[in-house]
Amino acid sequence: MTNEEIKDKIKVILISVLKHENFVIEDSLTAKDVEGWDSLSHMIIITEIEKCFEIKFKLKELNKMNNMGDLITLIQTKIEQQ
Amino acid sequence: MIFNSVDFAIFFTVFFALYWLIGRIGLKWQNLFLLAGSYFFYCWWDWRFLSLIIGSSLLNYFIGLYIADESKSEKSRNILYYLGLAQGIGGLLYFKYFNFFITSFVSAFSLFNIHLNIHTLNLILPLGISFYTFRNISYILDIDSGKVEPSKDWVVYFSYIAFFPTLLSGPIDRAKPFIPQLENKRNFNYLQAVDGLRQILWGLFKKIVIADNCASSADIIINRYEIWSNSSTLIAGAFFFTIQLYADFSGYSDMAIGISKLLGFNVTKNFNFPYFSQSIVEYWRKWHMSLTSWVTEYVFTPLSFTLRQYGKLGLIIAILANFTIVGIWHGANWNFILFGIIHGMYFIPSILRGTMNTNKSITTYKLIPTFREFINILITFLIVVLTNVVFRTDNLHIAFDYYKRIIYNNPFSFPELVNPKVAVISTFIFLILEWIGRENEYAIQKTGLNWNKILRYAFYYCILLSILFFSGNEQEFIYFKF
């Protein structure tokens, strides 16, 4: 799966959870930049991403993520490992 | 030696001068002086527990170094990691909650006519334990998760734990933003210092004029709640306490942050005008932010992650656990536990509807809110006021009786207040200034900066004079006992 395909799928998930499109998916994007992406919605978003890509995260992996670029890399790695 | 005392003014003036003078000799000496000053400040309050701060700092300093050392075996690192956590949590449980567990245990058995003869201990709560323990715990957790590197300089770590402006009541700074500030040379910054002084002035106003005056009005009503015949008086009591609580704690935080700025430190923000929130979810993003973000990161996130397969039910369980901990953090009694659970329950409808993040805050900072925004703010504030009855009253029986009287007493009459003028007028002016300045770090940060100089100083003198002439009865900071 290419990075662009991953980005498209993440965008769909974010729109469905946050109910708005006021963000641009780019590597430097952080949760703080997106309205409504807080600790509550974060776990819903993570669960939806796990379902969508059929992967499982570890808490330590999530703790080390700093931005969207890290999330995409982690998803890519998980998909390749399968 | 509270911040608004002559003792502290003398201590800090001398400390401030020597601190910057010693800074010219070298950073190491400046940090050592900061540590000595912090311990002196703590000893002024209560020297008996200084050994507890030093002991826990020492233990966590070495544990931090050990668990980050990959040449050590995984097993030994794990043992020390849990030892660090056990020391922090164990210390808190012992000093803060031991007697509560004993009395609750005995009461539970007495319900079944079994009378246990277990005695409570005569424990004194070490001042600031909830705050410096949380710093120690987050340090160990952050090293384990790779978020921070352990500090290799013991003076830096000990100073981080004992930093006197935030030692007794926070804000609870994390190691990641704070330790680098101790490790790097600090230069005196005039603009930062002036900003700090302005924030201290605002903090003093909040504490001395608003909190202490509202405390008198709240105490008269709440301490003798049985004698008031109408519910509007009881609601007014809860209102004054709510204003007192915010002005007291955020006033303290402003002073702590301002003092830190004078020493060249940037300390984390603790409040973001919470009483203008449009929902309880937003309120908790803006109230005691250093505690809520701590509990969110180290309790809610791991718990909700573990329970994520249960969907919304998992989120609800995690949020209730999260707020129970927020509640009991304040102290060992059922009122604080219930206070936490109630606030957790306020999140449930939003979680079920999936609307917890769609309520926009007033980002444009308009002077006049829309009707809908105004109603949202009013309802949220009323919920906070009413829930604070549980927080303020001495036990659950009084809390429930207070609510009963609010419901059954006469609601259609004017509150019977005793000498309310200063509290009412100053609160009104305070809320207006807070509303106008709510996009800043603190309300008067930028007030008057583009005015004529004379006008600006007249404004500061008005605040200063109101502190001198309209001070309420001096009261200790509420959060010192937590």
Side-chain angles (χ1 to χ4, degrees):
Chain A
M1 195 177 288
T2 65
N3 274 7
E4 288 311 309
E5 286 170 320
I6 294 175
K7 280 182 184 176
D8 288 343
K9 289 191 173 182
I10 292 176
K11 188 177 179 184
V12 172
I13 291 168
L14 287 183
I15 292 170
S16 80
V17 176
L18 302 175
K19 312 218 167 29
H20 69 82
E21 293 183 51
N22 307 329
F23 54 85
V24 180
I25 304 277
E26 51 191 11
D27 286 354
S28 60
L29 186 78
T30 67
K32 279 181 187 165
D33 304 324
V34 184
E35 194 189 313
W37 191 344
D38 60 11
S39 52
L40 271 172
S41 54
H42 185 63
M43 221 34 82
I44 301 173
I45 291 165
I46 290 300
T47 313
E48 291 302 314
I49 290 174
E50 284 184 329
K51 275 187 211 161
C52 174
F53 296 100
E54 296 179 333
I55 54 174
K56 283 278 172 204
F57 293 119
K58 288 178 184 157
L59 185 59
K60 276 197 173 182
E61 293 168 341
L62 294 184
N63 281 337
K64 283 183 182 170
M65 275 191 320
N66 289 317
N67 54 32
M68 183 59 73
D70 292 345
L71 176 63
I72 293 165
T73 310
L74 184 61
I75 293 170
Q76 190 69 272
T77 313
K78 294 260 169 195
I79 293 171
E80 283 166 11
Q81 281 170 354
Q82 283 175 344
Chain B
M1 193 158 57
I2 54 176
F3 290 162
N4 51 315
S5 67
V6 177
D7 292 346
F8 184 78
I10 295 168
F11 162 75
F12 188 70
T13 309
V14 175
F15 180 86
F16 176 79
L18 291 174
Y19 171 83
W20 286 112
L21 211 62
I22 291 171
R24 291 182 180 186
I25 304 170
L27 180 63
K28 180 98 183 171
W29 288 105
Q30 193 182 36
N31 282 343
L32 210 54
F33 183 68
L34 177 63
L35 181 62
S38 297
Y39 285 160
F40 176 81
F41 174 79
Y42 192 78
C43 286
W44 191 280
W45 281 97
D46 196 340
W47 56 270
R48 290 168 298 177
F49 294 110
L50 181 65
S51 55
L52 195 65
I53 296 191
I54 296 176
S56 64
S57 303
L58 189 69
L59 183 72
N60 286 291
Y61 172 70
F62 281 115
I63 288 177
L65 288 172
Y66 195 92
I67 62 174
D69 185 351
E70 290 184 355
S71 67
K72 303 281 191 275
S73 73
E74 177 101 22
K75 194 181 168 189
S76 64
R77 283 159 65 198
N78 270 338
I79 290 171
L80 282 184
Y81 166 75
Y82 286 114
L83 178 71
L85 296 185
Q87 180 274 322
I89 297 167
L92 266 186
L93 287 177
Y94 177 70
F95 282 108
K96 214 168 165 176
Y97 304 107
F98 183 80
N99 284 341
F100 172 69
F101 290 137
I102 293 288
T103 49
S104 300
F105 191 66
V106 171
S107 306
F109 272 87
S110 70
L111 289 176
F112 303 101
N113 258 343
I114 303 169
H115 299 287
L116 300 173
N117 192 21
I118 308 174
H119 295 290
T120 54
L121 297 177
N122 188 19
L123 294 173
I124 301 165
L125 186 67
L127 213 58
I129 189 170
S130 312
F131 295 91
Y132 69 75
T133 300
F134 268 39
R135 277 190 206 115
N136 271 323
I137 293 173
S138 65
Y139 178 69
I140 296 297
L141 291 171
D142 284 353
I143 290 175
D144 181 63
S145 63
K147 283 183 202 162
V148 296
E149 290 288 319
S151 173
K152 292 183 176 62
D153 182 343
W154 71 271
V155 179
V156 164
Y157 185 68
F158 281 47
S159 302
Y160 160 61
I161 297 300
F163 184 61
F164 75 87
T166 60
L167 174 60
L168 301 183
S169 277
I172 307 165
D173 256 299
R174 308 286 175 81
K176 195 174 182 179
F178 199 84
I179 284 184
Q181 297 187 61
L182 282 160
E183 288 172 335
N184 293 303
K185 185 168 166 52
R186 297 174 291 278
N187 294 311
F188 181 76
N189 180 326
Y190 176 75
L191 288 178
Q192 188 188 32
V194 170
D195 189 41
L197 281 174
R198 201 184 293 118
Q199 193 160 3
I200 293 170
L201 179 71
W202 187 237
L204 284 169
F205 174 78
K206 279 179 174 177
K207 168 63 184 159
I208 295 172
V209 180
I210 307 300
D212 289 351
N213 276 303
C214 284
S216 305
S217 296
D219 289 349
I220 288 170
I221 296 170
I222 299 173
N223 292 346
R224 298 166 65 206
Y225 72 98
E226 308 98 325
I227 66 167
W228 309 104
S229 58
N230 61 57
S231 36
S232 60
T233 307
L234 297 175
I235 293 171
F239 167 81
F240 281 122
F241 173 68
T242 301
I243 299 294
Q244 178 205 350
L245 187 66
Y246 170 63
D248 185 288
F249 192 24
S250 72
Y252 171 87
S253 298
D254 279 336
M255 286 184 245
I257 295 168
I259 291 164
S260 306
K261 283 177 181 172
L262 284 169
L263 301 177
F265 288 91
N266 284 313
V267 168
T268 189
K269 196 174 172 177
N270 226 8
F271 292 90
N272 189 18
F273 307 94
Y275 290 165
F276 303 138
S277 302
Q278 294 192 59
S279 67
I280 291 294
V281 179
E282 187 187 340
Y283 169 78
W284 278 105
R285 271 189 227 124
K286 296 179 169 182
W287 176 270
H288 200 177
M289 294 150 74
S290 67
L291 173 71
T292 47
S293 69
W294 195 103
V295 183
T296 300
E297 186 167 342
Y298 302 114
V299 178
F300 175 76
T301 301
L303 201 55
S304 58
F305 182 78
T306 309
L307 299 171
R308 69 195 187 285
Q309 72 216 61
Y310 303 107
K312 287 179 176 173
L313 178 66
L315 266 184
I316 290 171
I317 293 169
I319 207 94
L320 287 175
N322 184 69
F323 275 98
T324 304
I325 288 173
V326 168
I328 204 167
W329 176 89
H330 291 89
N333 74 47
W334 289 103
N335 282 54
F336 290 135
I337 294 175
L338 184 66
F339 169 81
I341 293 172
I342 293 172
H343 269 284
M345 286 168 72
Y346 291 148
F347 281 65
I348 295 176
S350 299
I351 292 173
L352 291 176
R353 286 200 309 265
T355 57
M356 59 256 178
N357 303 298
T358 54
N359 209 354
K360 287 184 185 176
S361 58
I362 308 169
T363 49
T364 50
Y365 298 109
K366 293 167 293 188
L367 191 62
I368 309 289
T370 64
F371 180 70
R372 182 164 182 186
E373 287 165 349
F374 178 71
I375 293 297
N376 286 343
I377 291 170
L378 205 64
I379 290 171
T380 307
F381 183 66
L382 195 63
I383 290 171
V384 171
V385 167
L386 291 175
T387 313
N388 275 345
V389 170
V390 183
F391 191 92
R392 169 62 176 78
T393 45
D394 293 335
N395 58 54
L396 288 182
H397 171 75
I398 295 176
F400 292 141
D401 197 31
Y402 200 100
Y403 284 129
K404 206 168 84 184
R405 285 166 192 267
I406 286 179
I407 295 167
Y408 291 113
N409 284 7
N410 175 16
F412 302 108
S413 57
F414 209 70
E416 306 158 71
L417 303 175
V418 183
N419 291 331
K421 271 185 201 157
V422 176
V424 170
I425 294 170
S426 60
T427 299
F428 182 71
I429 295 169
F430 168 63
L431 290 177
I432 288 175
L433 287 172
E434 287 263 306
W435 174 261
I436 294 168
R438 70 194 186 283
E439 77 270 31
N440 301 312
E441 189 188 341
Y442 55 94
I444 63 158
Q445 188 178 32
K446 290 179 183 162
T447 308
L449 286 189
N450 51 359
W451 296 353
N452 176 302
K453 206 173 177 182
I454 296 170
L455 218 64
R456 189 166 82 238
Y457 279 96
F459 174 69
Y460 296 146
Y461 275 116
C462 280
I463 295 177
L464 201 61
L465 289 176
S466 68
I467 292 171
L468 295 175
F469 291 110
F470 299 110
S471 56
N473 295 330
E474 189 178 313
Q475 314 233 354
E476 198 173 68
F477 288 98
I478 295 173
Y479 269 68
F480 273 16
K481 59 176 179 273
F482 301 148

